[in-house]
C-alpha cells in the first residue's frame, strides 16, 4: 500500500510540474546516492565550479515525499534531469541522463533471485520510456546493466562516471593526514608509518538473517562469529594501521552509540560527509586499502591499484538470497578473502604481499570495466550534451 501511495504521489507531482515553463539553461540533479560515490553530487559540484552560466539545482534525497513544491518547480523547468537510480522526467521534451551508481556485482532487477516479475516488467518499461542517455564505462558494464534492467543498447554512451573523476583527480588537501586528524585525532607527525584502510560493506539487511543483524546491533560491524573489537584494534595498532568504517545508513541506525572504544577504528556516517560538503570518493584516494564484501565499490577502487580484502562470512546467504552476476565469486574478486577475524588479522599483517600477488588480476578487471578516457568524465558528459 505504501508503495502504491508513493507512486500516486509522484504521478500527481509530475502532472503539476508539467505546467512549468522549460528553461534550456536549467539542469537538475536528482541525487539518491547520498555522499557515497554519488555521480550526481560530484557532477553538480563540477557544474557549479566550471559552468556558472547554468542554472544548476541539486535535489536530495531523491525520491522523497517531503520535497517542497519549489523543488518540483525546478524539476518542471529543467531541460536536463540527471538521476543516480531510476530514470525520471515529467515531460517528453526533457532529457534524462541516467548515471546509475556503480558497476553491479550482485544481481538486481530481472536477474535477482528476490524480485517479482511484475515489478521487473514495470521497471523495464520505465527505462525504455524515460532514460534518454545512460552513461557507460565499458561493454561489460552495458551487458550487466541490460541483463538486469532491459536497457536498449542505443541508449548507452561511453562517457564514464563523475565519481571516477574524483578518484583520479584528488584535491591535495584531502590527504592521509586529513583522514587521521579528522577521524582518528592523530596525525602523520605522530605516526609516520600510518596506513589508513576503509571498510565499506553492502546492504546486509536484505539477507533477512536475524543473527547477522543482531551481531551488527551489538557493535560487531564485521558480523564475524569470532569478532573481538579489542583484539582487532590491537592488531591494527601493531601494524600502524587505521580502519575507517562506513556502514549502510540502515545499519548505522542499529548502533546505540558511535563512541567505539578503539584508537585505530573510527566510524564514518553520512552526517560527517554532509557537514563537510564532501563525497566519500573525494578522499578515498588517500586510503591505503579497501575492505568490502559484495559492494560494487571494489571495481572503482581498482583505479587506485591498491589492495582489496573481501569479507565473505555472508557469501552463502547472498548467493541464495540475491545472487551474483559474475562467478564463481572466488574467481572474480581480485583480492584475498576472510570469513573470520583471525583470517582478516593475518591478511592485514601481510598486506603488502596481498597487494603484489593480486596486482595483475586487479589490472585485468580494470581493463574490462573501464574503457573510457579516465579522469575527464564530467567534461565529456557536458560536451556531449552541448
Amino acid at each position: 500500500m505504501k508503495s502504491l501511495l508513493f507512486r500516486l504521489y509522484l504521478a500527481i507531482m509530475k502532472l503539476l510540474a508539467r505546467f512549468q515553463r522549460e528553461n534550456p539553461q536549467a539542469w537538475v540533479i536528482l541525487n539518491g546516492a547520498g555522499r557515497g560515490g554519488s555521480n550526481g553530487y560530484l557532477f553538480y559540484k563540477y557544474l557549479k565550479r566550471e559552468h556558472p552560466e547554468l542554472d544548476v539545482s541539486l535535489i536530495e534525497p531523491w525520491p522523497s515525499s517531503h520535497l517542497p513544491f519549489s523543488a518540483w518547480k525546478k524539476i518542471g523547468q529543467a531541460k536536463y534531469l540527471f538521476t543516480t537510480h531510476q530514470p525520471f522526467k515529467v515531460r517528453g521534451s526533457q532529457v534524462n541522463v541516467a548515471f546509475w551508481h556503480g558497476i553491479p556485482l550482485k544481481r538486481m532487477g530481472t536477474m535477482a533471485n528476490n524480485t517479482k516479475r511484475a515489478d521487473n516488467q514495470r521497471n523495464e518499461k520505465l527505462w525504455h520510456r524515460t532514460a534518454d542517455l545512460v552513461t557507460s564505462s565499458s561493454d561489460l558494464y552495458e551487458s550487466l546493466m541490460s541483463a538486469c534492467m532491459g536497457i536498449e543498447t542505443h541508449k548507452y554512451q561511453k562517457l564514464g562516471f563523475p565519481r571516477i573523476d574524483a578518484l583520479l583527480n584528488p584535491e591535495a588537501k584531502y590527504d592521509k593526514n586529513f583522514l587521521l586528524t579528522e577521524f582518528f585525532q592523530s596525525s602523520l607527525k605522530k605516526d609516520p608509518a600510518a596506513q589508513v584502510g576503509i571498510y565499506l560493506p553492502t546492504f546486509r539487511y536484505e539477507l533477512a538473517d536475524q543473527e547477522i543483524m543482531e551481531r551488527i546491533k551489538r557493535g560487531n560491524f564485521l558480523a564475524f562469529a569470532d569478532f573481538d573489537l579489542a583484539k582487532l584494534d590491537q592488531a591494527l595498532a601493531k601494524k600502524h594501521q587505521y580502519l575507517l568504517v562506513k556502514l549502510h545508513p540502515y545499519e548505522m541506525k542499529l548502533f546505540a552509540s558511535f563512541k567505539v572504544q578503539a584508537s585505530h577504528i573510527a566510524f564514518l556516517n553520512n552526517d560527517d560527509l554532509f557537514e563537510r560538503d564532501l563525497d566519500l570518493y573525494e578522499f578515498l584516494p588517500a586510503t591505503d586499502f579497501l575492505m568490502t564484501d559484495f559492494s560494487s565499490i571494489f571495481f572503482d577502487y581498482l583505479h587506485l591499484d591498491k589492495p582489496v580484502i573481501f569479507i565473505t562470512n555472508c557469501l552463502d546467504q547472498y548467493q541464495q538470497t540475491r545472487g551474483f552476476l559474475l562467478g564463481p565469486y572466488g574467481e572474480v574478486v581480485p583480492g584475498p578473502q576472510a570469513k573470520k577475524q583471525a583470517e582478516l588479522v593475518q591478511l592485514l599483517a601481510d598486506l603488502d604481499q596481498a597487494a603484489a600477488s593480486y596486482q595483475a588480476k586487479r589490472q585485468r578487471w580494470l581493463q574490462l570495466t573501464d574503457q573510457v578516457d579516465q579522469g575527464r568524465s564530467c567534461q565529456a558528459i557536458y560536451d556531449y550534451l552541448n
Side-chain angles (χ1 to χ4, degrees):
M1 177 60 74
K2 186 176 181 181
S3 176
L4 180 62
L5 290 175
F6 185 70
R7 292 205 301 270
L8 179 61
Y9 161 78
L10 284 181
I12 293 172
M13 299 312 294
K14 283 174 66 175
L15 179 62
L16 294 175
R18 285 176 190 161
F19 290 99
Q20 302 301 314
R21 179 175 296 179
E22 193 171 291
N23 175 8
Q25 294 296 100
W27 294 31
V28 170
I29 288 90
L30 303 176
N31 183 34
R35 294 290 185 272
S38 171
N39 287 312
Y41 178 63
L42 291 166
F43 190 58
Y44 168 77
K45 293 183 80 169
Y46 161 80
L47 290 176
K48 295 293 285 185
R49 181 179 66 251
E50 300 294 336
H51 297 283
E53 75 279 5
L54 295 176
D55 180 11
V56 183
S57 300
L58 176 71
I59 296 177
E60 57 183 0
W62 176 265
S64 171
S65 58
H66 302 291
L67 292 177
F69 187 66
S70 58
W72 282 102
K73 288 178 66 176
K74 290 182 179 296
I75 292 173
Q77 294 165 357
K79 173 62 178 177
Y80 294 104
L81 285 167
F82 302 84
T83 51
T84 59
H85 287 68
Q86 303 291 61
F88 184 86
K89 59 185 180 181
V90 302
R91 67 172 69 87
S93 60
Q94 291 181 314
V95 178
N96 171 253
V97 180
F99 283 142
W100 202 241
H101 50 278
I103 299 171
L105 174 62
K106 297 175 298 184
R107 292 180 177 234
M108 57 185 182
T110 302
M111 292 292 290
N113 298 333
N114 58 352
T115 56
K116 298 179 180 178
R117 178 59 180 160
D119 292 337
N120 294 332
Q121 288 178 320
R122 182 169 58 248
N123 193 39
E124 289 179 8
K125 288 181 181 178
L126 177 64
W127 281 90
H128 171 71
R129 294 173 178 173
T130 310
D132 298 296
L133 169 66
V134 182
T135 60
S136 167
S137 62
S138 68
D139 294 334
L140 177 61
Y141 175 76
E142 294 170 15
S143 297
L144 296 174
M145 290 294 290
S146 290
C148 296
M149 306 296 191
I151 303 170
E152 300 100 318
T153 186
H154 69 270
K155 292 182 181 290
Y156 293 107
Q157 287 293 329
K158 289 185 176 64
L159 301 170
F161 305 114
R163 66 180 190 272
I164 304 303
D165 286 8
L167 289 184
L168 296 179
N169 304 298
E171 293 188 45
K173 61 182 177 180
Y174 301 126
D175 58 6
K176 190 182 302 184
N177 207 50
F178 167 82
L179 297 179
L180 290 169
T181 55
E182 288 288 309
F183 302 112
F184 297 97
Q185 288 76 53
S186 183
S187 71
L188 285 177
K189 293 180 181 178
K190 296 180 183 179
D191 196 349
Q195 290 182 311
V196 179
I198 187 165
Y199 175 48
L200 296 161
T202 192
F203 184 39
R204 292 173 285 190
Y205 178 72
E206 66 179 333
L207 292 175
D209 189 319
Q210 190 60 34
E211 175 60 26
I212 296 296
M213 290 298 103
E214 285 299 322
R215 288 178 182 178
I216 296 171
K217 190 174 182 179
R218 293 194 297 267
N220 180 355
F221 56 89
L222 291 162
F224 281 148
D226 63 338
F227 181 75
D228 187 313
L229 179 64
K231 289 184 178 180
L232 178 60
D233 191 45
Q234 291 169 9
L236 290 167
K238 184 178 180 180
K239 296 294 294 184
H240 300 272
Q241 294 170 337
Y242 296 79
L243 184 62
L244 192 59
V245 179
K246 187 180 186 304
L247 304 181
H248 187 275
Y250 177 85
E251 294 183 1
M252 294 292 278
K253 293 177 182 179
L254 296 178
F255 285 88
S257 171
F258 297 116
K259 302 294 183 181
V260 178
Q261 299 300 314
S263 61
H264 285 243
I265 300 172
F267 282 91
L268 173 70
N269 61 36
N270 282 337
D271 290 341
D272 295 322
L273 298 171
F274 277 92
E275 290 169 1
R276 293 171 173 81
D277 292 323
L278 271 177
D279 185 272
L280 172 69
Y281 276 43
E282 292 182 270
F283 59 76
L284 196 60
T287 62
D288 295 288
F289 63 93
L290 168 69
M291 287 168 42
T292 186
D293 46 12
F294 322 114
S295 171
S296 64
I297 194 172
F298 93 81
F299 286 117
D300 295 345
Y301 203 76
L302 297 176
H303 289 86
L304 303 179
D305 196 23
K306 295 178 181 180
V308 184
I309 296 174
F310 294 89
I311 308 301
T312 57
N313 52 316
C314 299
L315 178 60
D316 292 340
Q317 293 98 314
Y318 256 106
Q319 287 178 325
Q320 295 174 8
T321 304
R322 186 163 173 177
F324 296 100
L325 290 168
L326 301 167
Y329 178 85
E331 297 297 320
V332 173
V333 296
Q337 304 167 47
K339 287 186 177 181
K340 301 177 181 179
Q341 179 170 308
E343 296 173 350
L344 173 61
V345 169
Q346 185 60 47
L347 291 174
L348 290 171
D350 298 325
L351 194 61
D352 292 338
Q353 180 180 346
S357 58
Y358 283 93
Q359 185 178 36
K361 194 172 184 180
R362 292 198 303 269
Q363 290 301 309
R364 178 57 177 156
W365 276 109
L366 179 59
Q367 293 169 3
L368 288 170
T369 54
D370 196 341
Q371 300 170 313
V372 301
D373 184 12
Q374 299 176 347
R376 296 188 62 256
S377 294
C378 287
Q379 185 66 47
I381 294 164
Y382 174 82
D383 290 344
Y384 183 84
L385 293 177
N386 280 276

